[in-house]
Each structure stands twice: as structure tokens, then as C-alpha cells.
Amino acid sequence: MGKPQETKIIIISGPSGAGKTTLLKKIFLRPLIKKNFILAVSYTTRMKRKQEKEGRDYFFVSKEQFHRLIKKKFFLEYQKVLNDYYGTPRYFLKEAQKKRRDLILCIDVKGGMYLKKRIKKDKIVTIFIGVPTQGELSRRLRKRGDSKIIKKRIALAKKELQFAKVYDYLIINQNLQSALKLLERVLITERLQRRRQ
Ligand code: 5GP
């Protein structure tokens, strides 16, 4: 059977509007991905959007609850993004280790950089999901219609795009099918590489 496999953390970041959520939902329909990876569900203090489900997209909590969880060291990492807090619960890492799978976190660049500094190089992989142009990103964000904070999100997206170069992989999501193919290839390659070590 060989040595037990150690879990790798796969960070996926990119501006909102880049299509990270859609990509992840679709990629987890693929058997090889389902068998080898776990996708962490974060806690957040932001309001639930119409199409979102508690426990599937996020665990929605109040700021008070979130701060209590911080004190209890419940989070592997957490960050304030715009006006809200987002955090990855530690228990997903334990679950991934127990099942000998790799753990995928879809988190912002600050969270990504925080973990990159703290986790051994060979135990972390960073993937940035980008958009073809900034104009295209603004167009996608405006289509979403959460108009009040759209300007803030566009400004944040511009900042986040500057971090793409420090990620291990950059996937430009111009076409969903091609982006999915690339993402799957990266995930499986990383998984196989580690098995051979
Ligand atoms: P949204 O409100 O659009 O769902 O997410 C806003 C940003 O927060 C996105 O960049 C998303 O990846 C990030 N995010 C979601 N969960 C976490 C988390 O647990 N930790 C960190 N650091 N960022 C997160």
C-alpha cells in the first residue's frame, strides 16, 4: 500500500465574476475529481444570495458568531473581504486527511497568500482564475445586478488581478469548457505527481 498520502491544499482564487463557483460546481461532477478531492465550504457573515443554499455554498452566520468562532480557533484562515468576513473551517482539512484526499479552497488572494506563507511548498498549490480582459470582468459583474457594491467589487477585482503572477497556475476563463478541461488537468496532474513522490 505504500506510505499514507499527505493532503495537499489547493487554493483557487480570482476576482468575483471570473466564474470560480461555476467551474467548481461543474468540476465536482467529474468522477475523478469527486474521488480525489474535497471542496471546503466557508463560513461567511455576508447575506445569502437568492440562489445560494446554506451548507452548500456557505454557512451563513452573524458577525458575533463569526468572532466567537475566531476566538475558538475554528478557522484555518479567515479574511475580511469588502464588508464581510469569510473563513475556512479547520475540520475540512481533517476530513481530507482522514480520507486521503486533497482539499480545495476557493478563497480570496489575501487568504491564499496567508496560507502560502504558512504551508510547506510541496503541500500547497495555487491556481488563479482570471478573465480575458478587465472590460469583460466589469461587464460580467454588472450583469449580476448587485449594483450597490458593484463598484467596490470591480475595484477589488483590479487589485486581485495583480496577484495572478504569484500563483502557480493561471487559468483564463474565456470559455467554460476549455477552462474546465484545464482545471481538471492541473488538479489530476498535481495529484499524480504527489503519488509518485
Ligand atoms: P463572494 O461574496 O463573491 O461569495 O466571495 C467574495 C470573496 O471571498 C471571493 O473572492 C471568495 O473566493 C472569497 N472567499 C470565500 N470564502 C472564503 C474563505 O473562507 N476565506 C477567504 N479568505 N476568502 C473567502
Side-chain angles (χ1 to χ4, degrees):
M1 286 281 286
K3 260 171 48 173
Q5 246 177 242
E6 276 191 68
T7 292
K8 256 190 195 179
I9 293 186
I10 318 280
I11 308 281
I12 299 201
S13 301
S16 55
K20 290 167 291 172
T21 317
T22 312
L23 271 172
L24 284 170
K25 267 187 192 152
K26 296 227 180 263
I27 206 119
F28 267 90
L29 298 174
R30 301 187 174 194
L32 257 183
I33 301 295
K34 242 196 239 172
K35 203 176 130 199
N36 288 289
F37 297 87
I38 283 181
L39 177 63
V41 180
S42 297
Y43 278 58
T44 184
T45 62
R46 90 146 155 71
M47 295 271 284
K48 190 159 85 64
R49 294 182 190 138
K50 256 191 206 155
Q51 71 284 8
E52 288 178 329
K53 251 193 182 167
E54 167 79 21
R56 182 193 68 186
D57 299 285
Y58 284 108
F59 293 100
F60 297 93
V61 294
S62 67
K63 285 199 168 119
E64 291 72 28
Q65 284 172 306
F66 198 96
H67 285 292
R68 271 202 293 275
L69 291 170
I70 293 176
K71 275 193 189 150
K72 285 186 182 165
K73 306 226 180 301
F74 178 79
F75 297 115
L76 186 63
E77 66 76 40
Y78 70 90
Q79 294 292 335
K80 194 174 185 189
V81 183
L82 299 179
N83 291 324
D84 283 294
Y85 290 88
Y86 296 80
T88 312
R90 284 181 194 279
Y91 59 76
F92 280 103
L93 182 57
K94 288 205 182 118
E95 188 189 337
Q97 285 166 334
K98 214 171 107 193
K99 293 185 173 164
R100 296 190 185 169
R101 295 192 204 170
D102 289 338
L103 178 66
I104 300 184
L105 311 181
C106 182
I107 63 177
D108 80 322
V109 291
K110 285 184 291 172
M113 293 303 101
Y114 172 90
L115 289 177
K116 201 175 149 102
K117 273 191 205 142
R118 282 161 183 80
I119 292 173
K120 272 169 83 187
K121 248 187 174 172
D122 60 338
K123 295 282 171 286
I124 189 161
V125 179
T126 53
I127 305 171
F128 194 92
I129 309 291
V131 276
T133 62
Q134 280 192 11
E136 169 65 13
L137 182 71
S138 305
R139 195 186 62 77
R140 288 190 200 177
L141 283 175
R142 287 204 183 88
K143 245 175 50 182
R144 279 195 177 176
D146 30 20
S147 57
K148 232 175 154 187
I149 57 162
I150 254 166
K151 271 195 185 154
K152 280 188 184 171
R153 282 189 181 259
I154 292 176
L156 177 65
K158 282 185 183 164
K159 266 193 210 160
E160 292 209 315
L161 286 169
Q162 291 165 10
F163 280 85
K165 53 183 176 290
V166 295
Y167 278 66
D168 300 322
Y169 297 94
L170 169 64
I171 295 177
I172 301 292
N173 186 12
Q174 182 157 26
N175 169 285
L176 183 64
Q177 288 313 318
S178 320
L180 269 174
K181 214 183 241 179
L182 265 177
L183 181 59
E184 184 174 46
R185 203 171 291 166
V186 167
L187 293 174
I188 298 299
T189 306
E190 284 292 339
R191 181 85 183 155
L192 290 177
Q193 256 176 19
R194 212 248 339 258
R195 272 201 183 152
R196 289 199 204 102
Q197 280 167 8

